[in-house]
Amino acid sequence: MLKLGVLISGGGSNLQAILDACVFGALKGKAEVAVVISNNKNAYGLERARKHGVPAVFIDRKKFAGPAGFCEEIKNELSKYGAGLVCLAGYLLKLEPNLVGAFKIMNIHPALLPKYGGKGMYGHFVHEAVIKAGDKESGATVHWVDEHYDHGGIILQKNVPLAAGDTPETLAERVLEAEHELYPRAILKVINDKF
Ligand code: GRF
């Protein structure tokens, strides 16, 4: 059974999709969430982890002199719980080379990369840009993480067509729904491909 380490900063609806997939979905018998780590003490995703009986770890960035020390602590926690694959699920901070180099790390992004990625392209900014550009479709991307924002190799994507009258909010809602289906499927793909 592959042990997943999941990093979050917020609500954790993608974490929930992964937890559910491990218990009764596509990942059942193949993967389990071994630890959930957050830089935000109040992230609801930590509560979701606890409800599933999964260790929920808050790491306070302020306790470290710089980002490398903070990432070293994340690395230590992931190792402590035996993570064999790391999933970023709404984790908002940049990862330092010491962490990126230590694990295979995946991320989910609410657009069809390489479009609408990079620094500052997150949350509603993404959906606003898609609508402003007049694109006919958006979607979600699961990709490998390297040292640059939204840059590593693409694992899977799912398209979401734009509807007449879409606002950033309505589009965000449909893309998030697509993410919940896509992320577990992408994890299964990398397991089957023996990443
Ligand atoms: C998702 O839209 C994801 O693509 C992005 O952050 C959001 C996280 O949502 N990286 P949630 O915390 O999983 O609900």
Side-chain angles (χ1 to χ4, degrees):
M1 182 94 85
L2 177 67
K3 287 185 190 296
L4 306 174
V6 183
L7 268 54
I8 58 156
S9 297
S13 68
N14 278 287
L15 163 68
Q16 187 68 56
I18 296 169
L19 286 164
D20 291 345
C22 289
V23 177
F24 51 75
L27 297 172
K28 189 177 171 191
K30 301 194 179 239
E32 64 184 349
V33 180
V35 62
V36 173
I37 298 173
S38 181
N39 62 302
N40 171 11
K41 189 167 56 166
N42 299 316
Y44 182 63
L46 289 175
E47 190 55 34
R48 294 182 193 268
R50 287 185 206 108
K51 281 186 184 158
H52 273 254
V54 170
V57 179
F58 160 60
I59 304 179
D60 190 352
R61 202 162 40 139
K62 294 198 287 290
K63 285 197 177 143
F64 301 88
F70 173 64
C71 283
E72 196 63 28
E73 182 63 12
I74 296 177
K75 187 175 136 183
N76 292 340
E77 288 294 324
L78 289 167
S79 301
K80 183 168 125 191
Y81 289 98
L85 178 65
V86 175
C87 302
L88 307 187
Y91 181 72
L92 294 177
L93 305 179
K94 196 152 181 276
L95 303 188
E96 295 301 307
N98 57 341
L99 180 53
V100 175
F103 295 92
K104 282 286 210 176
I105 307 177
M106 314 166 72
N107 181 42
I108 190 154
H109 184 76
L112 295 174
L113 291 175
K115 288 175 98 177
Y116 308 109
K119 198 167 164 48
M121 268 296 168
Y122 62 89
H124 65 98
F125 295 110
V126 174
H127 307 298
E128 276 165 16
V130 170
I131 289 174
K132 198 167 169 205
D135 287 5
K136 299 218 165 358
E137 62 174 13
S138 187
T141 302
V142 176
H143 64 95
W144 290 114
V145 170
D146 62 15
E147 283 150 40
H148 310 281
Y149 278 114
D150 306 322
H151 180 263
I154 290 172
I155 299 164
L156 275 184
Q157 294 186 303
K158 181 168 175 146
N159 294 24
V160 174
L162 264 83
D166 252 338
T167 63
E169 290 74 27
T170 59
L171 180 59
E173 209 172 291
R174 291 205 311 291
V175 170
L176 192 61
E177 218 172 275
E179 291 181 36
H180 299 159
E181 188 274 327
L182 184 68
Y183 214 160
R185 195 150 55 83
I187 295 169
L188 184 61
K189 179 177 177 356
V190 307
I191 293 174
N192 288 339
D193 290 351
K194 304 197 189 328
F195 65 99

